[in-house]
Amino acid sequence: MALYGYQHYKEQSVYTMTPGEMLNLLYDELLKRLTRAELALEKEDYTLFEQSMQRCTEIVTYLTNTLDHQYDISAELKRMYEFFQYEFSRIKAGRRAEIIEEVRPLIADLRDSFREASQLNS
């Protein structure tokens, strides 16, 4: 019963988020999954690595699909998301943690920029 209440609370909090909060949550989750993939590689847990990288790909695909193309920045973001997808495929194919180290700061900077824009917009 308690588990149902927690699940309901989580769903309600997602439904009531502003678009800025949702975007920040997605970027935080993306960074978390990249870190999890990196740790899985260190432990040679390839199942967890694959699952984490798959989730990263799904998040970036969602971000790409939800771009509002009426804004000029959407084209730039789309190119950046395509770059992330390309890098994710390189990470998965070669199981290369050093690429994660290269991509993570780019994603963190983008997240921080959106977070700052969201705060300025509030």
Side-chain angles (χ1 to χ4, degrees):
M1 186 65 157
L3 183 60
Y4 173 76
Y6 176 71
Q7 185 66 28
H8 182 70
Y9 169 76
K10 278 178 39 177
E11 288 176 8
Q12 283 301 110
S13 65
V14 168
Y15 292 137
T16 59
M17 284 183 172
T18 66
E21 290 171 333
M22 179 64 81
L23 192 58
N24 288 324
L25 181 70
L26 286 167
Y27 276 107
D28 287 342
E29 184 68 18
L30 180 56
L31 290 167
K32 181 176 93 175
R33 295 298 176 132
L34 277 175
T35 301
R36 185 177 288 172
E38 186 176 38
L39 293 172
L41 277 179
E42 289 175 12
K43 295 179 182 179
E44 297 182 3
D45 183 347
Y46 300 119
T47 302
L48 180 59
F49 167 76
E50 291 292 333
Q51 291 170 347
S52 299
M53 290 309 303
Q54 178 61 35
R55 188 67 178 132
C56 289
T57 300
E58 291 168 357
I59 291 169
V60 173
T61 299
Y62 176 80
L63 290 169
T64 303
N65 291 340
T66 57
L67 286 172
D68 187 347
H69 295 286
Q70 73 177 349
Y71 300 104
D72 293 336
I73 195 166
S74 294
E76 297 299 320
L77 286 170
K78 184 177 180 187
R79 279 189 281 258
M80 188 162 254
Y81 294 153
E82 288 170 351
F83 170 75
F84 292 152
Q85 295 287 30
Y86 172 75
E87 292 298 298
F88 293 165
S89 67
R90 288 181 59 216
I91 293 166
K92 288 168 60 174
R95 294 183 176 164
R96 300 179 55 193
E98 66 273 8
I99 300 173
I100 294 173
E101 293 172 16
E102 294 171 9
V103 172
R104 184 183 295 118
L106 301 173
I107 294 170
D109 286 347
L110 192 56
R111 177 205 53 196
D112 294 343
S113 296
F114 276 116
R115 185 169 286 152
E116 186 176 327
S118 179
Q119 289 173 348
L120 290 174
N121 202 20
S122 295

